[in-house]
Amino acid sequence: MERGEGTRPVPSGADRPAGRATGGRGPAQLAVLAAAQFVIAVDFNIVHVALPSIGTAAGFSEHDLQWVVSAYVVVTGGFLLFGGRAADLLGRRRMFVTAALLYAVSSLAGGATDEPGVIVAARAAQGLGGALLFPATLSLISTLFAEGPARNRALAVWGAMGAFGLCAGSLAGGVLVDAFGWAAVFYANIPPALAIAAGALLLFPADPAREPGRRFDAPGAVAVTGGATLLVYTVVRGPQAGWGSVEVLTAGALALLLLAAYVRRERSCRDPLTPPRLLRAPGVRTAVPTALVFGATFSALPYFLTLYLQRVAGLDPLATGAAFLWPALVVAVGARGGEWAVGRLGAAATLRHGLAAGALGTALLAVAMSEDGGYPVLLPGLTLLSLAQGAVWTALWIVAADGIEPGDQGVASGTASTALQLGGALGLAVLVAVANAGTSGAVGDASTAAGADGLRTTVFVIAGTLLAAALAYAARGRGLRKTAPTLRS
C-alpha cells in the first residue's frame, strides 16, 4: 500500500527539509554532516596502528592495552540509544556541537598524558562523543533532507565518507605515528572536531523550543545505558577473561537485569525513551536485524583482513593501511550505487542483492587467502564485497529513517546503531573463536598453516552469514517492500 505525501504532517522549524527552510544551504550542511561521519570513522580505527607505541610509552601491560580500543567500543555501544533520544528531546544541533567539542577535549587529554588510566578515560570520552554524534548526525540528515531522492543522496554521500574514514584512519595512524609519535593520533582529531562544531553553529537551523509535555525518561535512560554498556562489555571481555569467569558472568547477569528493568519501565512510562510505536515501525524492525548482521560481518571483516595482510602476507603497518585505500574508494562507489538501487529497485531488492553480492565477494576473498598469496589476488573478492558493503550501508539507513516522525528520528537511528555496535562486538568475539580453533590462540600466525587456515575459515563463515541473511530477505521480500514505498524515485 503506497503512502502518499499528504498523509504525513508537515515539519516545522528545524525539522523542515533542506531547501525549503535553510535558504539553499543543503550542500554545505551535507558537507558538515559528512565530515562528522568521517571524524567518527577515523577515530574508530586511528589508534590501532599506534597501540604498540602507546603500550611502550605509557607502560601498559599486555593485558590492559586492549582497553585503549575496548573503552571506546563499550561506551559507544552503551550510550547510542541515550544519544539518540537526547538529540530528539534536547536538540539535534545542540547535541551535535556538544559531541564535537567532547571529541576535541578528550583528544587533547589523551595526547597530553602518558598515564594509562587517563588514556583509557580519554578513549571512553571519545566513545561518548561518538555515541552522541552518530545519531545526531543521522537525525539531522533525516530532518534536513526531504524523504526520497534528496535524503537517499545525502545518506549515500554520508556513508561514502564514513567508509573512506575507516580506511583513512588506518593509513593516517601509520603515517602519524611514524612521523610524530603516538600522541599525534589523538591530536589529529582536534582540528576537524572544532571545524564541524563551528560549521554546525553557522549552517544548521537553531533547535526549536522543546515540545510541551515531553520529558526525558531519566530512569529508563539509566537502565538501558547501563544494560547496553554491560552487555557490550560482556561480549568484548568474554574472549580475554573467559566466558565462565566471575567477572563476565556477573556483568552479563547485571546487563540482563537492567535491560529487563528497562523493558518494564517502558511499558508503564507516560513518555518512554523508546516509544512502542517506534518498535512497531516496519523500517526499524527491518533495520535492526540488518544492522546486527552488518556489524557481525562487514564491520568485523577488516580485523581479519588486517591480520592476514600483516601476519601471512608480511606487509608492514603502513603498507597494510595503504591496502585499505582501494576498498574505501569502492565502498564509496557502492554507497552511491545503493542510492541508485533503492530509488529504482526498492529497499528489499537492494538489501537482498547487496547481501548476496557481499557473500560471493567474501567467499572469493577467502579462496584467495592462501599462505603464499599476495594482495593482487585479493582484489576481485575485495572489490565485489566492498561494492556490496556500500550499497547495503546506504539502504540500511534509508530504511531505518523511513516513515519515522521528525521527533523520533534520533532514537530510531540510535536503536539501529546500537544493534550495529552490538552485532560488531558479538560477531567479532564469535569469529575470533572460530579463527583460533585448532591453533595455539595466535590467530593468523604465519608460522603455522593452521593460523592461515583459521583466517580463511573465518572469512568463509562471514560469507555464509551474509548468504543466510540474503536468503532470509528473499523469503520475506514482499513484506520488506512495503517498509519503504516512498524510496522509489
Side-chain angles (χ1 to χ4, degrees), residues 157-473:
V157 172
W158 171 84
M161 284 299 291
F164 184 73
L166 284 173
C167 300
S170 298
L171 179 59
V175 172
L176 290 171
V177 171
D178 186 61
F180 305 107
W182 66 267
V185 302
F186 285 93
Y187 292 142
N189 290 314
I190 298 174
L194 294 176
I196 62 173
L201 290 172
L202 290 171
L203 295 170
F204 297 160
D207 294 315
R210 186 168 173 178
E211 184 179 333
R214 293 193 73 183
R215 297 180 300 175
F216 194 85
D217 178 20
V222 170
V224 73
T225 300
T229 301
L230 285 170
L231 184 59
V232 177
Y233 174 87
T234 301
V235 173
V236 170
R237 185 66 176 142
Q240 284 87 30
W243 293 104
S245 67
V246 173
E247 174 189 356
V248 171
L249 291 176
T250 301
L254 287 174
L256 295 178
L257 285 173
L258 285 170
L259 292 174
Y262 170 68
V263 171
R264 184 175 181 180
R265 167 76 184 179
E266 295 300 277
R267 290 175 176 173
S268 60
C269 182
R270 188 169 66 89
D271 195 9
L273 193 69
T274 309
R277 66 181 180 276
L278 182 70
L279 299 179
R280 291 192 296 266
V284 172
R285 292 172 62 183
T286 297
V288 167
T290 305
L292 281 167
V293 171
F294 192 103
T297 54
F298 288 122
S299 294
L301 189 57
Y303 175 83
F304 300 99
L305 183 58
T306 298
L307 290 176
Y308 173 80
L309 292 172
Q310 290 190 334
R311 296 184 178 178
V312 179
L315 300 185
D316 61 34
L318 187 58
T320 299
F324 280 94
L325 285 178
W326 173 250
L329 296 173
V330 177
V331 169
V333 173
R336 296 304 300 268
E339 171 206 344
W340 177 91
V342 169
R344 286 156 181 78
L345 306 177
T350 302
L351 288 174
R352 182 170 65 249
H353 296 316
L355 291 166
L360 177 58
T362 306
L364 291 175
L365 179 66
V367 170
M369 292 173 67
S370 63
E371 292 178 66
D372 55 353
Y375 184 71
V377 297
L378 305 179
L379 289 176
L382 204 54
T383 300
L384 180 56
L385 76 88
S386 297
L387 283 170
Q389 179 179 349
V392 172
W393 179 258
T394 299
L396 163 63
W397 298 110
I398 290 174
V399 169
D402 181 66
I404 304 298
E405 297 301 329
D408 291 329
Q409 284 288 349
V411 73
S413 61
T415 300
S417 50
T418 297
L420 179 72
Q421 289 289 328
L422 184 59
L426 182 59
L428 187 61
V430 172
L431 291 168
V432 166
V434 171
N436 283 335
T439 73
S440 61
V443 56
D445 189 345
S447 64
T448 65
D453 288 343
L455 288 175
R456 188 163 48 247
T457 299
T458 303
V459 177
F460 272 123
V461 170
I462 294 174
T465 304
L466 289 169
L467 179 60
L471 294 174
Y473 281 122

